[in-house]
């Protein structure tokens, strides 16, 4: 049987294509850089959505995976020669480390009530932050360090930002389709069921733990990769990658965009990153704009009150309602014809 | 082997600090429908949950097909061949009707597919709502889905908690018919307040009161025994 391609897939592909063309129309450095941030945080927020939206696991320390990825690539390229081989090695290291840490965090806490996972991840992230600050010989402590990325062949070197842009964009698109496939697979359906009621899933004959651990590992690996992209894009790693605001950003992006939608977190990342950018200009206007955390609180409260399902979630509801109405109309007319 | 499919001996269950079940004795013979009766709060649901491993017995044993399953986790018990339809409709709101049906499938062999077709013939409405999210079904539709799903797996025993709750009489009739058909394939334990339904389906009955089994016997005997019905079931 040939699987019909969903209508939404075409829309996503079209949008991705426009994003490919975008830098040829608007190629200012700051803009490219901002878009790269959107892509990397889009990936990061999607990994957060896997936990929060699809499985109902709350993590307060998701930054640790992001930070692990960033430091893995940074340290590898800083201590070894900056070649493509080592770039690849650094990415591999990041993915493996992210997976291992997620695996153990999952095994340790996912059998307990959900807030234990939230607290353990928070504690672990703080631990990594301390480690990054104290292990100065490798991490340069809170100063952080810059590193070089491998030289691109020939004329590409002159368009390095463009290449990074494309790399991040392609990564985001591939990860999006991969994760969408995962969430629409039978495994994904079981995850949704677990989020709703673990006891029910268990009495259907499924062990919960393996599913939770699997998704925790997938999420950790993806988050770590986001950290890699982030570090590559700014060619610098500092302790801020382990900071709580990285986690909070992911949380906000997911909630604003729409929990459990995957595309929502990407849109959320777009909104938050652009908001960061423009609001930092506003700090001359009023001090409140300097304090991202204050704004975060306000936006968070507003989002939860007015958009509990997020932008994408709200849109889907509206569309579903309209479709439903149409179907009812059809039903009515056919009933009339029948009688 | 004895001719007993499921046996509860001296089962005591605590929920937090509350002692809910006191030395519950309960036996189910294969091929029969055993009805569990009792007032609200008598401990019927807790008994089913204890069998399923969702509540843990503090002492006593649950034996299924001659095997001690008391300490097993729910997923393990389910795999041994016990299906459970909880009283609050055990369906998932975020999944469509079709996904709800499929998420319950433990195997994908021909026998399971056959049963799936059979179930859909039994409840043709489900096909109509196949793509609708479980959360948007009416109470009766949810109940039907929940019961239908439990028929899809090959189980030796089905635990069904108050299937008639909140259903219109026509639908109750339908559920009765479906259980009658199911009876040919599996053994059933049915918790039911609706005495009409209980008496139509049941071969044997148990009455629970205050967490204790106070009576059991053939359903035919209970039908005649006005005194017993009045005392424990509040039926005049
Ligand atoms: N989570 C809980 N915490 C404390 N007590 C509980 C809990 N669940 C049930 N109980 C108590 O256990 C007793 C038995 O409850 P159970 O749900 O088994 O009754 P039931 O016979 O199924 O009643 P109903 O006919 O109303 O469904 C009740 O007294 C109830 O208050
Ligand atoms: Mg009950």
């Amino acid at each position: 049987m040939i699987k019909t391609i969903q209508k939404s897939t075409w829309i996503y592909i079209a949008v991705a294509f426009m994003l490919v063309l975008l830098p040829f129309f608007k190629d200012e450095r700051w803009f490219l850089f901002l878009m790269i941030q959107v892509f990397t945080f889009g990936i990061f927020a999607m990994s957060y959505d896997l936990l929060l939206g699809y499985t109902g696991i709350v993590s307060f320390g998701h930054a640790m995976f992001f930070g692990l990825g960033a430091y893995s690539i940074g340290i590898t390229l800083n201590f070894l020669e900056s070649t493509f081989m080592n770039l690849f090695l650094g990415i591999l290291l990041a993915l493996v480390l992210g997976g291992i840490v997620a695996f153990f965090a999952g095994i340790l806490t996912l059998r307990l009530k959900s807030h234990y996972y939230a607290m353990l991840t928070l504690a672990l992230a703080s631990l990594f932050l301390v480690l990054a600050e104290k292990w100065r010989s490798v991490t340069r402590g809170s100063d952080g360090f810059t590193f070089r990325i491998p030289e691109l062949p020939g004329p590409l070197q002159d368009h390095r930002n463009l290449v990074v842009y494309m790399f991040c964009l392609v990564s985001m698109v591939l990860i999006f389709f991969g994760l969408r496939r995962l969430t629409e697979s039978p495994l994904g359906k079981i995850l949704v069921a677990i989020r709703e009621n673990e006891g029910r899933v268990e009495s259907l004959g499924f062990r919960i733990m393996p599913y939770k651990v699997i998704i925790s590992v997938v999420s950790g690996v993806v988050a770590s990769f986001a950290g890699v992209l982030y570090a590559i894009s700014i060619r610098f790693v500092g302790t801020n990658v382990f900071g709580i605001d990285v986690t909070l950003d992911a949380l906000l992006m997911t909630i604003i965009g729409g929990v459990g939608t995957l595309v929502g977190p990407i849109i959320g990342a777009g909104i938050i990153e652009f908001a960061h950018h423009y609001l930092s200009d506003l700090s001359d206007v009023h001090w409140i704009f300097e304090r991202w955390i204050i704004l975060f609180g306000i936006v968070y409260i507003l989002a939860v009150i007015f958009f509990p399902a997020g932008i994408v979630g709200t849109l889907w509801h509206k569309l579903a309602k309209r479709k439903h109405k149409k179907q009812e109309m059809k039903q009515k007319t056919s009933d009339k014809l029948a009688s | 082997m004895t001719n007993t499919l499921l046996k509860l001996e001296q089962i005591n269950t605590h929920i937090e600090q509350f002692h809910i079940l006191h030395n519950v004795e309960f036996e189910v013979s294969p091929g029969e429908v055993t009805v569990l009766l009792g007032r609200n709060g008598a401990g019927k649901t807790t008994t089913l949950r204890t069998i399923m491993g969702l509540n843990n017995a503090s002492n006593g044993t649950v034996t299924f097909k001659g095997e001690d399953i008391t300490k097993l986790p729910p997923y393990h018990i389910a795999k041994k061949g016990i299906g459970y339809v909880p009283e609050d409709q055990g369906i998932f709101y975020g999944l469509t009707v079709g996904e709800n049906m499929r998420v319950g499938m433990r195997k994908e062999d021909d026998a399971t597919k056959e049963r799936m077709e059979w179930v859909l013939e039994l409840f043709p409405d489900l096909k109509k709502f196949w793509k609708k999210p479980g959360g948007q079904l009416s109470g009766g539709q949810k109940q039907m889905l929940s019961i239908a799903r439990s028929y899809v797996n090959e189980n030796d025993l089905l635990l069904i908690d108050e299937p008639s709750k909140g259903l219109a009489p026509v639908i109750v009739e339908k559920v009765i018919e479906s259980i009658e058909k199911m009876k040919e394939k599996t053994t059933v334990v049915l918790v039911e307040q609706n005495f009409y339904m209980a008496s139509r389906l049941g071969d044997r009955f148990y009455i629970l009161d205050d967490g204790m089994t106070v009576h059991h016997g053939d359903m035919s005997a209970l039908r005649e025994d006005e005194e017993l019905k009045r005392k424990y079931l509040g039926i005049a």
Side-chain angles (χ1 to χ4, degrees), chain B residues 26 34-45 47 162 189-199 202 204-219 222-223 228-229 232-233 235:
Chain B
F26 185 61
T34 307
V35 183
L36 198 51
L37 298 160
R39 297 179 235 260
N40 290 123
K44 306 179 296 289
T45 299
T47 304
E162 293 203 48
V189 172
L190 182 66
V191 168
E192 193 45 76
Q193 305 261 22
N194 178 335
F195 191 71
Y196 165 71
M197 183 162 178
S199 98
R204 231 163 283 280
F205 77 92
Y206 275 79
I207 295 180
L208 274 179
D209 200 43
D210 256 339
M212 285 176 277
T213 25
V214 289
H215 265 285
H216 66 100
D218 284 349
M219 199 68 208
L222 181 62
R223 282 190 204 108
L228 203 58
K229 279 196 269 185
Y232 292 111
L233 310 174
I235 303 166

Side-chain angles (χ1 to χ4, degrees), chain A residues 127-148:
Chain A
L127 203 72
F128 277 113
L129 179 61
V130 172
L131 189 71
E133 267 167 8
K134 298 293 170 208
W135 198 8
R136 292 193 61 89
S137 59
V138 175
T139 64
R140 308 277 155 73
S142 46
D143 298 336
F145 61 92
T146 55
F147 63 91
R148 288 155 44 85

Side-chain angles (χ1 to χ4, degrees), chain A residues 293-309:
Chain A
I293 200 83
I294 297 176
L295 272 177
F296 170 89
I298 296 170
V299 175
Y300 184 86
I301 291 167
L302 291 179
V304 168
I305 292 175
F306 294 106
F307 278 107

